[in-house]
Amino acid sequence: MADIEDTIQTTQSLHEDSTAIDDDVPLQQNNYSLLIVCKCFSLITAISAILCISVNILAAFLSFKNRFDVFDGIFRIYAVAIAVFVVVAETEWSAFLKFCKVLDYWVGRGMLQIFVAVMTRAFPDYYGERKDLALLQSIASYMLLSCGVVYILSGILCIGCLKRKLEHKEMTKDQAVKDLEELERKKQELEASLLEN
């Protein structure tokens, strides 16, 4: 019983320390603002990569259908496969990021995004048969190219490291609150069982 009370007091002091940190509201709002901006930018990047995927699938389908250029179709399939890596990296799925450690860093993500953008823009419709496809290729590639450049610049400025630290701090704070609630529940159960005996 004494061990549980000591643990509860320790957890409460940690919780009080975290609420004392919460009193610094402007700093906390800036932290939340940075995390929200990063999530919005990640969503924009994922949408750009999905647009590149759809454009490359359409171009590959047309290449194979018309038997115009089989190598262009194969090239587009590779672009789709690599663009899928970009989309999955933006979800920040931990199992995937353990497999591809370089995509955990923003400079690596930016380089991959620029590579996909260049692959999407390569082999434009030289004969002008599909101007709508060429326009879509340009839009998708320039969107992803700009996202890649922003990722590289942000990675150089260590914004990705700052984001990871803020997310870790937020997760630690949430875990401390959950642990405190769990210990309070156990304390109430033990007190109830002592009163019954």
Side-chain angles (χ1 to χ4, degrees), residues 1 186-197:
M1 184 74 174
K186 286 182 181 179
K187 178 183 173 185
Q188 290 173 356
E189 288 175 0
L190 287 173
E191 287 175 350
S193 66
L194 284 174
L195 290 176
E196 288 175 1
N197 292 332

Side-chain angles (χ1 to χ4, degrees), residues 102-114 148 150-158 160 164:
V102 73
L103 295 179
D104 198 21
Y105 300 101
W106 282 17
V107 174
R109 283 189 197 183
M111 292 170 71
L112 185 66
Q113 291 164 8
I114 290 172
V150 169
Y151 260 110
I152 288 176
L153 293 176
S154 298
I156 291 171
L157 296 174
C158 297
R164 280 192 296 275

Side-chain angles (χ1 to χ4, degrees), residues 1-12 183 186-187 190-191 194:
M1 184 74 174
D3 291 339
I4 292 177
E5 288 180 1
D6 290 340
T7 308
I8 289 174
Q9 288 174 351
T10 305
T11 309
Q12 284 176 339
L183 287 173
K186 286 182 181 179
K187 178 183 173 185
L190 287 173
E191 287 175 350
L194 284 174

Side-chain angles (χ1 to χ4, degrees), residues 13 21 34 46 49 55 57 71 77 97 99-100 119 126 130 136 141-142 146-147 150 154 165 169 196:
S13 66
I21 292 171
L34 178 67
V55 167
I57 287 174
F71 292 111
I77 290 172
L97 290 178
F99 172 68
C100 294
M119 287 180 78
Y126 293 113
R130 299 293 308 236
L136 274 174
S141 64
Y142 286 123
S146 61
C147 290
V150 169
S154 298
K165 285 182 182 179
K169 183 178 176 182
E196 288 175 1

Side-chain angles (χ1 to χ4, degrees), residues 77-93:
I77 290 172
Y78 277 112
V80 167
I82 297 171
V84 168
F85 274 90
V86 172
V87 173
V88 175
E90 289 305 313
T91 63
E92 296 188 359
W93 184 30

Side-chain angles (χ1 to χ4, degrees), residues 3 18 31 34 41 44 52 67 92 107 132 134 151 155 160 169:
D3 291 339
S18 69
N31 293 346
L34 178 67
F41 185 70
I44 291 169
C52 284
R67 295 187 181 145
E92 296 188 359
V107 174
D132 52 348
Y151 260 110
K169 183 178 176 182

